[in-house]
Short mmCIF file of all heavy atoms in Angstrom, two decimals:
data_model
loop_
_atom_site.label_atom_id
_atom_site.label_comp_id
_atom_site.label_asym_id
_atom_site.label_seq_id
_atom_site.Cartn_x
_atom_site.Cartn_y
_atom_site.Cartn_z
N MET A 15 0.86 -1.17 0.00
CA MET A 15 0.00 0.00 0.00
C MET A 15 0.89 1.23 0.00
O MET A 15 1.86 1.30 0.73
CB MET A 15 -0.91 -0.02 1.23
CG MET A 15 -1.83 1.17 1.30
SD MET A 15 -2.86 1.29 2.79
CE MET A 15 -3.79 -0.20 2.74
N SER A 16 0.55 2.20 -0.81
CA SER A 16 1.34 3.42 -0.89
C SER A 16 0.86 4.43 0.15
O SER A 16 -0.21 4.29 0.75
CB SER A 16 1.20 4.02 -2.29
OG SER A 16 -0.11 4.55 -2.46
N ILE A 17 1.66 5.45 0.33
CA ILE A 17 1.31 6.54 1.25
C ILE A 17 0.02 7.22 0.79
O ILE A 17 -0.85 7.54 1.61
CB ILE A 17 2.47 7.56 1.36
CG1 ILE A 17 3.73 6.90 1.90
CG2 ILE A 17 2.05 8.76 2.19
CD1 ILE A 17 3.63 6.39 3.32
N GLU A 18 -0.13 7.41 -0.51
CA GLU A 18 -1.35 8.03 -1.03
C GLU A 18 -2.58 7.18 -0.76
O GLU A 18 -3.63 7.69 -0.40
CB GLU A 18 -1.21 8.33 -2.53
CG GLU A 18 -0.18 9.40 -2.84
CD GLU A 18 -0.45 10.71 -2.13
OE1 GLU A 18 -1.61 11.17 -2.11
OE2 GLU A 18 0.51 11.29 -1.60
N ALA A 19 -2.44 5.87 -0.91
CA ALA A 19 -3.57 4.97 -0.61
C ALA A 19 -3.89 5.01 0.88
O ALA A 19 -5.06 5.01 1.26
CB ALA A 19 -3.24 3.55 -1.05
N MET A 20 -2.84 5.08 1.72
CA MET A 20 -3.06 5.17 3.16
C MET A 20 -3.87 6.43 3.48
O MET A 20 -4.84 6.37 4.24
CB MET A 20 -1.72 5.22 3.90
CG MET A 20 -1.88 5.41 5.40
SD MET A 20 -0.33 5.77 6.25
CE MET A 20 -0.02 7.45 5.70
N LYS A 21 -3.48 7.55 2.89
CA LYS A 21 -4.20 8.81 3.14
C LYS A 21 -5.66 8.69 2.73
O LYS A 21 -6.56 9.13 3.44
CB LYS A 21 -3.54 9.95 2.38
CG LYS A 21 -2.21 10.37 2.93
CD LYS A 21 -1.65 11.51 2.09
CE LYS A 21 -0.28 11.92 2.52
NZ LYS A 21 0.22 13.05 1.72
N MET A 22 -5.89 8.06 1.57
CA MET A 22 -7.26 7.91 1.07
C MET A 22 -8.10 7.07 2.03
O MET A 22 -9.22 7.45 2.38
CB MET A 22 -7.24 7.25 -0.31
CG MET A 22 -8.62 7.03 -0.90
SD MET A 22 -8.59 6.09 -2.42
CE MET A 22 -8.07 4.48 -1.82
N PHE A 23 -7.55 5.94 2.50
CA PHE A 23 -8.30 5.09 3.42
C PHE A 23 -8.54 5.79 4.76
O PHE A 23 -9.61 5.64 5.36
CB PHE A 23 -7.59 3.75 3.63
CG PHE A 23 -7.82 2.78 2.52
CD1 PHE A 23 -6.79 2.46 1.66
CD2 PHE A 23 -9.06 2.21 2.31
CE1 PHE A 23 -6.99 1.56 0.62
CE2 PHE A 23 -9.28 1.32 1.28
CZ PHE A 23 -8.24 1.00 0.43
N MET A 24 -7.57 6.57 5.23
CA MET A 24 -7.76 7.29 6.49
C MET A 24 -8.86 8.35 6.34
O MET A 24 -9.68 8.51 7.23
CB MET A 24 -6.46 7.93 6.95
CG MET A 24 -5.48 6.93 7.50
SD MET A 24 -4.05 7.80 8.14
CE MET A 24 -3.53 6.65 9.40
N LEU A 25 -8.87 9.05 5.22
CA LEU A 25 -9.90 10.06 4.99
C LEU A 25 -11.28 9.42 4.84
O LEU A 25 -12.27 9.95 5.35
CB LEU A 25 -9.56 10.92 3.78
CG LEU A 25 -8.35 11.84 3.95
CD1 LEU A 25 -7.98 12.50 2.63
CD2 LEU A 25 -8.63 12.89 5.03
N MET A 26 -11.34 8.28 4.18
CA MET A 26 -12.61 7.56 4.07
C MET A 26 -13.09 7.12 5.45
O MET A 26 -14.28 7.19 5.75
CB MET A 26 -12.48 6.35 3.15
CG MET A 26 -12.40 6.72 1.70
SD MET A 26 -12.22 5.38 0.48
CE MET A 26 -12.39 3.89 1.36
N GLY A 27 -12.16 6.69 6.28
CA GLY A 27 -12.50 6.30 7.65
C GLY A 27 -13.06 7.47 8.43
O GLY A 27 -14.00 7.31 9.22
N ASP A 28 -12.49 8.66 8.22
CA ASP A 28 -13.00 9.86 8.89
C ASP A 28 -14.45 10.13 8.50
O ASP A 28 -15.27 10.51 9.34
CB ASP A 28 -12.15 11.09 8.55
CG ASP A 28 -10.78 11.07 9.20
OD1 ASP A 28 -10.58 10.30 10.17
OD2 ASP A 28 -9.91 11.83 8.74
N MET A 29 -14.77 9.91 7.24
CA MET A 29 -16.12 10.19 6.76
C MET A 29 -17.14 9.17 7.24
O MET A 29 -18.32 9.48 7.37
CB MET A 29 -16.14 10.24 5.23
CG MET A 29 -15.35 11.40 4.67
SD MET A 29 -15.48 11.61 2.87
CE MET A 29 -15.12 10.00 2.23
N THR A 30 -16.71 7.96 7.50
CA THR A 30 -17.66 6.89 7.84
C THR A 30 -17.68 6.52 9.32
O THR A 30 -18.43 5.64 9.71
CB THR A 30 -17.34 5.62 7.03
OG1 THR A 30 -16.02 5.17 7.35
CG2 THR A 30 -17.45 5.86 5.54
N SER A 31 -16.88 7.21 10.14
CA SER A 31 -16.78 6.79 11.54
C SER A 31 -17.32 7.82 12.52
O SER A 31 -16.89 7.87 13.66
CB SER A 31 -15.32 6.47 11.87
OG SER A 31 -14.54 7.66 11.81
N GLU A 32 -18.27 8.63 12.08
CA GLU A 32 -18.80 9.68 12.95
C GLU A 32 -19.32 9.16 14.28
O GLU A 32 -19.16 9.82 15.31
CB GLU A 32 -19.91 10.43 12.23
CG GLU A 32 -19.43 11.28 11.08
CD GLU A 32 -20.58 11.99 10.39
OE1 GLU A 32 -21.72 11.92 10.88
OE2 GLU A 32 -20.33 12.61 9.35
N ASN A 33 -19.93 7.99 14.29
CA ASN A 33 -20.53 7.47 15.52
C ASN A 33 -19.60 6.56 16.31
O ASN A 33 -19.98 6.05 17.37
CB ASN A 33 -21.82 6.71 15.18
CG ASN A 33 -22.87 7.63 14.57
OD1 ASN A 33 -22.98 8.79 14.96
ND2 ASN A 33 -23.62 7.13 13.62
N ASN A 34 -18.39 6.35 15.82
CA ASN A 34 -17.44 5.48 16.52
C ASN A 34 -16.78 6.23 17.68
O ASN A 34 -16.64 7.44 17.65
CB ASN A 34 -16.36 4.98 15.57
CG ASN A 34 -16.89 4.02 14.54
OD1 ASN A 34 -18.06 3.66 14.56
ND2 ASN A 34 -16.04 3.61 13.64
N SER A 35 -16.35 5.46 18.66
CA SER A 35 -15.63 6.05 19.79
C SER A 35 -14.22 6.43 19.34
O SER A 35 -13.74 5.98 18.30
CB SER A 35 -15.53 5.04 20.94
OG SER A 35 -14.68 3.97 20.57
N LEU A 36 -13.56 7.24 20.14
CA LEU A 36 -12.19 7.64 19.83
C LEU A 36 -11.29 6.41 19.75
O LEU A 36 -10.44 6.31 18.87
CB LEU A 36 -11.67 8.63 20.89
CG LEU A 36 -10.23 9.11 20.69
CD1 LEU A 36 -10.06 9.80 19.35
CD2 LEU A 36 -9.82 10.02 21.84
N GLU A 37 -11.51 5.47 20.64
CA GLU A 37 -10.70 4.24 20.64
C GLU A 37 -10.85 3.48 19.32
O GLU A 37 -9.87 2.98 18.76
CB GLU A 37 -11.12 3.35 21.81
CG GLU A 37 -10.28 2.12 21.97
CD GLU A 37 -10.63 1.32 23.21
OE1 GLU A 37 -11.29 1.87 24.12
OE2 GLU A 37 -10.25 0.15 23.26
N GLU A 38 -12.07 3.40 18.80
CA GLU A 38 -12.31 2.72 17.52
C GLU A 38 -11.67 3.48 16.36
O GLU A 38 -11.11 2.87 15.44
CB GLU A 38 -13.81 2.55 17.28
CG GLU A 38 -14.47 1.59 18.23
CD GLU A 38 -15.98 1.62 18.15
OE1 GLU A 38 -16.56 2.72 18.01
OE2 GLU A 38 -16.58 0.53 18.21
N LYS A 39 -11.75 4.80 16.40
CA LYS A 39 -11.14 5.61 15.35
C LYS A 39 -9.62 5.45 15.34
O LYS A 39 -9.00 5.33 14.28
CB LYS A 39 -11.51 7.08 15.53
CG LYS A 39 -12.97 7.37 15.27
CD LYS A 39 -13.30 8.82 15.56
CE LYS A 39 -14.77 9.09 15.40
NZ LYS A 39 -15.14 10.49 15.70
N VAL A 40 -9.02 5.46 16.52
CA VAL A 40 -7.57 5.27 16.64
C VAL A 40 -7.19 3.89 16.12
O VAL A 40 -6.24 3.75 15.35
CB VAL A 40 -7.09 5.47 18.10
CG1 VAL A 40 -5.66 4.96 18.28
CG2 VAL A 40 -7.19 6.93 18.49
N ALA A 41 -7.93 2.87 16.50
CA ALA A 41 -7.63 1.50 16.08
C ALA A 41 -7.68 1.38 14.56
O ALA A 41 -6.81 0.73 13.95
CB ALA A 41 -8.60 0.51 16.73
N TYR A 42 -8.65 2.02 13.93
CA TYR A 42 -8.77 1.97 12.47
C TYR A 42 -7.57 2.63 11.81
O TYR A 42 -6.91 2.04 10.95
CB TYR A 42 -10.07 2.67 12.02
CG TYR A 42 -10.20 2.77 10.53
CD1 TYR A 42 -10.65 1.69 9.78
CD2 TYR A 42 -9.85 3.95 9.86
CE1 TYR A 42 -10.75 1.77 8.40
CE2 TYR A 42 -9.95 4.04 8.48
CZ TYR A 42 -10.41 2.95 7.76
OH TYR A 42 -10.50 3.03 6.39
N LYS A 43 -7.27 3.86 12.22
CA LYS A 43 -6.14 4.58 11.62
C LYS A 43 -4.82 3.88 11.91
O LYS A 43 -3.93 3.86 11.06
CB LYS A 43 -6.10 6.02 12.13
CG LYS A 43 -7.19 6.88 11.54
CD LYS A 43 -7.01 8.33 11.91
CE LYS A 43 -8.11 9.14 11.29
NZ LYS A 43 -7.62 10.31 10.60
N GLU A 44 -4.71 3.32 13.09
CA GLU A 44 -3.49 2.60 13.47
C GLU A 44 -3.27 1.40 12.54
O GLU A 44 -2.16 1.17 12.06
CB GLU A 44 -3.60 2.15 14.92
CG GLU A 44 -2.39 1.45 15.46
CD GLU A 44 -2.60 1.07 16.92
OE1 GLU A 44 -2.72 1.98 17.77
OE2 GLU A 44 -2.66 -0.15 17.20
N ARG A 45 -4.33 0.63 12.28
CA ARG A 45 -4.21 -0.52 11.39
C ARG A 45 -3.73 -0.10 10.00
O ARG A 45 -2.85 -0.72 9.42
CB ARG A 45 -5.55 -1.26 11.27
CG ARG A 45 -5.86 -2.16 12.42
CD ARG A 45 -7.04 -3.08 12.13
NE ARG A 45 -8.25 -2.41 11.68
CZ ARG A 45 -9.18 -1.89 12.48
NH1 ARG A 45 -9.03 -1.97 13.79
NH2 ARG A 45 -10.24 -1.30 12.00
N ILE A 46 -4.32 0.97 9.48
CA ILE A 46 -3.96 1.44 8.14
C ILE A 46 -2.52 1.93 8.12
O ILE A 46 -1.72 1.54 7.26
CB ILE A 46 -4.90 2.58 7.69
CG1 ILE A 46 -6.37 2.12 7.66
CG2 ILE A 46 -4.46 3.15 6.35
CD1 ILE A 46 -6.70 1.11 6.63
N ALA A 47 -2.15 2.80 9.06
CA ALA A 47 -0.81 3.38 9.09
C ALA A 47 0.26 2.34 9.33
O ALA A 47 1.28 2.30 8.63
CB ALA A 47 -0.74 4.48 10.15
N PHE A 48 0.04 1.46 10.29
CA PHE A 48 1.06 0.47 10.63
C PHE A 48 1.23 -0.55 9.50
O PHE A 48 2.35 -0.96 9.20
CB PHE A 48 0.73 -0.22 11.95
CG PHE A 48 0.90 0.65 13.17
CD1 PHE A 48 1.16 2.01 13.07
CD2 PHE A 48 0.80 0.11 14.43
CE1 PHE A 48 1.31 2.81 14.20
CE2 PHE A 48 0.97 0.88 15.57
CZ PHE A 48 1.22 2.24 15.46
N ALA A 49 0.15 -0.94 8.86
CA ALA A 49 0.25 -1.87 7.73
C ALA A 49 1.01 -1.23 6.57
O ALA A 49 1.84 -1.88 5.92
CB ALA A 49 -1.14 -2.31 7.27
N THR A 50 0.76 0.04 6.33
CA THR A 50 1.47 0.75 5.27
C THR A 50 2.96 0.83 5.57
O THR A 50 3.79 0.59 4.70
CB THR A 50 0.90 2.18 5.10
OG1 THR A 50 -0.50 2.07 4.78
CG2 THR A 50 1.60 2.93 3.99
N MET A 51 3.30 1.15 6.80
CA MET A 51 4.71 1.26 7.18
C MET A 51 5.40 -0.10 7.08
O MET A 51 6.51 -0.19 6.58
CB MET A 51 4.83 1.82 8.59
CG MET A 51 4.38 3.27 8.71
SD MET A 51 5.20 4.38 7.55
CE MET A 51 6.88 4.28 8.15
N ARG A 52 4.73 -1.15 7.53
CA ARG A 52 5.34 -2.49 7.46
C ARG A 52 5.50 -2.95 6.01
O ARG A 52 6.44 -3.67 5.68
CB ARG A 52 4.50 -3.50 8.24
CG ARG A 52 4.68 -3.35 9.73
CD ARG A 52 4.02 -4.49 10.51
NE ARG A 52 4.03 -4.17 11.92
CZ ARG A 52 2.97 -3.79 12.62
NH1 ARG A 52 1.79 -3.71 12.04
NH2 ARG A 52 3.06 -3.51 13.90
N ASN A 53 4.59 -2.53 5.16
CA ASN A 53 4.70 -2.86 3.75
C ASN A 53 5.88 -2.15 3.12
O ASN A 53 6.61 -2.73 2.31
CB ASN A 53 3.40 -2.50 3.02
CG ASN A 53 3.41 -2.95 1.59
OD1 ASN A 53 3.76 -4.08 1.28
ND2 ASN A 53 3.03 -2.06 0.69
N ALA A 54 6.09 -0.89 3.47
CA ALA A 54 7.17 -0.10 2.90
C ALA A 54 8.52 -0.46 3.50
O ALA A 54 9.54 -0.46 2.82
CB ALA A 54 6.89 1.39 3.11
N ILE A 55 8.53 -0.75 4.81
CA ILE A 55 9.77 -1.05 5.54
C ILE A 55 9.51 -2.31 6.36
O ILE A 55 8.98 -2.24 7.46
CB ILE A 55 10.16 0.11 6.46
CG1 ILE A 55 10.18 1.43 5.69
CG2 ILE A 55 11.49 -0.17 7.15
CD1 ILE A 55 10.24 2.66 6.56
N PRO A 56 9.88 -3.48 5.85
CA PRO A 56 9.55 -4.74 6.52
C PRO A 56 9.97 -4.83 7.99
O PRO A 56 9.27 -5.45 8.79
CB PRO A 56 10.28 -5.79 5.68
CG PRO A 56 10.35 -5.18 4.33
CD PRO A 56 10.55 -3.71 4.57
N ASP A 57 11.06 -4.21 8.39
CA ASP A 57 11.53 -4.27 9.78
C ASP A 57 10.94 -3.15 10.65
O ASP A 57 11.33 -3.00 11.80
CB ASP A 57 13.06 -4.18 9.84
CG ASP A 57 13.71 -5.41 9.24
OD1 ASP A 57 13.04 -6.45 9.14
OD2 ASP A 57 14.89 -5.32 8.86
N TRP A 58 10.02 -2.37 10.09
CA TRP A 58 9.46 -1.22 10.82
C TRP A 58 8.74 -1.67 12.08
O TRP A 58 8.06 -2.69 12.09
CB TRP A 58 8.50 -0.45 9.92
CG TRP A 58 7.93 0.75 10.59
CD1 TRP A 58 8.47 1.99 10.66
CD2 TRP A 58 6.69 0.82 11.33
NE1 TRP A 58 7.66 2.82 11.38
CE2 TRP A 58 6.57 2.13 11.81
CE3 TRP A 58 5.70 -0.10 11.63
CZ2 TRP A 58 5.47 2.56 12.55
CZ3 TRP A 58 4.62 0.32 12.38
CH2 TRP A 58 4.51 1.64 12.83
N GLN A 59 8.90 -0.89 13.14
CA GLN A 59 8.21 -1.14 14.40
C GLN A 59 7.54 0.16 14.85
O GLN A 59 8.06 1.25 14.59
CB GLN A 59 9.21 -1.57 15.48
CG GLN A 59 9.88 -2.90 15.20
CD GLN A 59 8.89 -4.05 15.26
OE1 GLN A 59 8.04 -4.11 16.14
NE2 GLN A 59 8.98 -4.96 14.30
N PRO A 60 6.41 0.07 15.53
CA PRO A 60 5.77 1.28 16.07
C PRO A 60 6.70 1.95 17.08
O PRO A 60 7.61 1.31 17.61
CB PRO A 60 4.52 0.76 16.78
CG PRO A 60 4.37 -0.65 16.38
CD PRO A 60 5.67 -1.14 15.86
N PRO A 61 6.48 3.23 17.34
CA PRO A 61 7.30 3.91 18.35
C PRO A 61 7.25 3.14 19.67
O PRO A 61 6.22 2.57 20.04
CB PRO A 61 6.64 5.28 18.49
CG PRO A 61 5.89 5.47 17.21
CD PRO A 61 5.48 4.11 16.76
N GLU A 62 8.37 3.13 20.38
CA GLU A 62 8.46 2.36 21.63
C GLU A 62 7.42 2.78 22.66
O GLU A 62 6.95 1.96 23.43
CB GLU A 62 9.86 2.50 22.22
CG GLU A 62 10.91 1.76 21.44
CD GLU A 62 12.29 1.86 22.06
OE1 GLU A 62 12.40 2.24 23.25
OE2 GLU A 62 13.26 1.54 21.36
N ASP A 63 7.07 4.05 22.67
CA ASP A 63 6.13 4.54 23.68
C ASP A 63 4.68 4.52 23.22
O ASP A 63 3.80 5.00 23.91
CB ASP A 63 6.52 5.96 24.11
CG ASP A 63 6.36 6.99 22.99
OD1 ASP A 63 6.27 6.59 21.80
OD2 ASP A 63 6.33 8.19 23.30
N TRP A 64 4.41 3.93 22.05
CA TRP A 64 3.07 3.98 21.47
C TRP A 64 1.99 3.49 22.43
O TRP A 64 0.94 4.12 22.57
CB TRP A 64 3.03 3.18 20.17
CG TRP A 64 1.73 3.34 19.44
CD1 TRP A 64 0.71 2.45 19.38
CD2 TRP A 64 1.30 4.49 18.71
NE1 TRP A 64 -0.32 2.96 18.64
CE2 TRP A 64 0.01 4.22 18.22
CE3 TRP A 64 1.88 5.72 18.43
CZ2 TRP A 64 -0.71 5.13 17.45
CZ3 TRP A 64 1.16 6.63 17.66
CH2 TRP A 64 -0.11 6.33 17.19
N ASP A 65 2.23 2.39 23.09
CA ASP A 65 1.21 1.80 23.97
C ASP A 65 0.98 2.62 25.25
O ASP A 65 -0.02 2.40 25.94
CB ASP A 65 1.57 0.37 24.34
CG ASP A 65 1.47 -0.56 23.13
OD1 ASP A 65 0.64 -0.29 22.23
OD2 ASP A 65 2.23 -1.53 23.07
N THR A 66 1.87 3.54 25.56
CA THR A 66 1.70 4.36 26.76
C THR A 66 1.02 5.69 26.46
O THR A 66 0.65 6.40 27.39
CB THR A 66 3.06 4.63 27.44
OG1 THR A 66 3.88 5.40 26.56
CG2 THR A 66 3.76 3.33 27.81
N LEU A 67 0.85 6.01 25.19
CA LEU A 67 0.23 7.28 24.81
C LEU A 67 -1.29 7.21 24.96
O LEU A 67 -1.90 6.15 24.80
CB LEU A 67 0.56 7.61 23.35
CG LEU A 67 2.03 7.78 23.00
CD1 LEU A 67 2.19 7.96 21.50
CD2 LEU A 67 2.64 8.93 23.76
N SER A 68 -1.88 8.36 25.24
CA SER A 68 -3.34 8.42 25.32
C SER A 68 -3.92 8.34 23.90
O SER A 68 -3.22 8.62 22.92
CB SER A 68 -3.79 9.73 25.98
OG SER A 68 -3.49 10.83 25.12
N ASN A 69 -5.18 7.98 23.80
CA ASN A 69 -5.83 7.93 22.49
C ASN A 69 -5.87 9.29 21.83
O ASN A 69 -5.82 9.39 20.60
CB ASN A 69 -7.24 7.35 22.61
CG ASN A 69 -7.22 5.84 22.72
OD1 ASN A 69 -6.34 5.18 22.20
ND2 ASN A 69 -8.20 5.29 23.42
N GLU A 70 -5.95 10.35 22.61
CA GLU A 70 -5.97 11.70 22.06
C GLU A 70 -4.65 12.00 21.35
O GLU A 70 -4.64 12.54 20.24
CB GLU A 70 -6.23 12.74 23.16
CG GLU A 70 -7.64 12.73 23.71
CD GLU A 70 -7.89 11.62 24.74
OE1 GLU A 70 -6.92 10.96 25.21
OE2 GLU A 70 -9.06 11.40 25.07
N ILE A 71 -3.53 11.64 21.98
CA ILE A 71 -2.23 11.89 21.37
C ILE A 71 -2.02 10.98 20.17
O ILE A 71 -1.50 11.42 19.13
CB ILE A 71 -1.10 11.73 22.41
CG1 ILE A 71 -1.21 12.84 23.45
CG2 ILE A 71 0.28 11.75 21.74
CD1 ILE A 71 -0.25 12.72 24.61
N LYS A 72 -2.44 9.73 20.28
CA LYS A 72 -2.33 8.81 19.15
C LYS A 72 -3.11 9.36 17.95
O LYS A 72 -2.61 9.36 16.82
CB LYS A 72 -2.87 7.43 19.50
CG LYS A 72 -1.97 6.64 20.42
CD LYS A 72 -2.61 5.29 20.73
CE LYS A 72 -1.78 4.48 21.69
NZ LYS A 72 -2.42 3.19 22.02
N MET A 73 -4.33 9.82 18.19
CA MET A 73 -5.16 10.35 17.10
C MET A 73 -4.51 11.59 16.48
O MET A 73 -4.50 11.75 15.26
CB MET A 73 -6.56 10.69 17.61
CG MET A 73 -7.47 11.24 16.51
SD MET A 73 -7.66 10.14 15.11
CE MET A 73 -8.98 9.13 15.69
N GLU A 74 -3.95 12.43 17.32
CA GLU A 74 -3.27 13.63 16.82
C GLU A 74 -2.12 13.24 15.88
O GLU A 74 -1.98 13.78 14.79
CB GLU A 74 -2.72 14.42 18.01
CG GLU A 74 -2.12 15.74 17.68
CD GLU A 74 -1.67 16.46 18.94
OE1 GLU A 74 -2.48 16.60 19.87
OE2 GLU A 74 -0.48 16.85 19.00
N ARG A 75 -1.32 12.27 16.29
CA ARG A 75 -0.19 11.81 15.49
C ARG A 75 -0.65 11.13 14.21
O ARG A 75 -0.10 11.36 13.13
CB ARG A 75 0.71 10.88 16.29
CG ARG A 75 1.46 11.60 17.39
CD ARG A 75 2.40 10.67 18.08
NE ARG A 75 3.12 11.34 19.16
CZ ARG A 75 4.08 10.78 19.86
NH1 ARG A 75 4.43 9.53 19.63
NH2 ARG A 75 4.68 11.45 20.82
N LEU A 76 -1.66 10.28 14.32
CA LEU A 76 -2.16 9.57 13.14
C LEU A 76 -2.81 10.53 12.15
O LEU A 76 -2.67 10.37 10.93
CB LEU A 76 -3.16 8.48 13.56
CG LEU A 76 -2.54 7.28 14.28
CD1 LEU A 76 -3.63 6.46 14.97
CD2 LEU A 76 -1.72 6.42 13.33
N SER A 77 -3.48 11.54 12.65
CA SER A 77 -4.14 12.52 11.77
C SER A 77 -3.11 13.34 11.01
O SER A 77 -3.37 13.77 9.88
CB SER A 77 -5.05 13.43 12.58
OG SER A 77 -6.12 12.68 13.11
N LYS A 78 -1.96 13.56 11.59
CA LYS A 78 -0.91 14.32 10.92
C LYS A 78 -0.43 13.60 9.67
O LYS A 78 0.06 14.23 8.73
CB LYS A 78 0.26 14.59 11.85
CG LYS A 78 -0.04 15.63 12.90
CD LYS A 78 1.14 15.87 13.79
CE LYS A 78 0.78 16.89 14.87
NZ LYS A 78 1.91 17.11 15.79
N LEU A 79 -0.56 12.28 9.64
CA LEU A 79 -0.11 11.52 8.48
C LEU A 79 -0.85 11.91 7.21
O LEU A 79 -0.31 11.81 6.11
CB LEU A 79 -0.28 10.02 8.73
CG LEU A 79 0.63 9.42 9.79
CD1 LEU A 79 0.26 7.96 10.00
CD2 LEU A 79 2.08 9.54 9.38
N THR A 80 -2.10 12.33 7.32
CA THR A 80 -2.86 12.70 6.12
C THR A 80 -2.46 14.06 5.59
O THR A 80 -2.79 14.40 4.47
CB THR A 80 -4.38 12.68 6.41
OG1 THR A 80 -4.67 13.57 7.47
CG2 THR A 80 -4.85 11.29 6.74
N SER A 81 -1.72 14.84 6.40
CA SER A 81 -1.31 16.16 5.93
C SER A 81 0.13 16.18 5.45
O SER A 81 0.61 17.21 4.98
CB SER A 81 -1.49 17.20 7.06
OG SER A 81 -0.62 16.90 8.13
N VAL A 82 0.81 15.05 5.56
CA VAL A 82 2.22 15.00 5.13
C VAL A 82 2.30 14.81 3.64
O VAL A 82 1.59 14.08 3.05
CB VAL A 82 2.96 13.84 5.86
CG1 VAL A 82 4.37 13.68 5.30
CG2 VAL A 82 2.98 14.08 7.34
#
């Protein structure tokens, strides 16, 4: 999956997830972003502190990916 495809799927998720909780929105974007990174860089790993971050910070970071 390319970066452009990742952005498209994340934006589609934004349009279709209005009623989802923040946790569900983060999980969706996380799956898309992490799969894209692993596809591009097979040895890629999420940031070491990812599991300690709040969902608000995770969402902020994941949302920035669509503007890059």
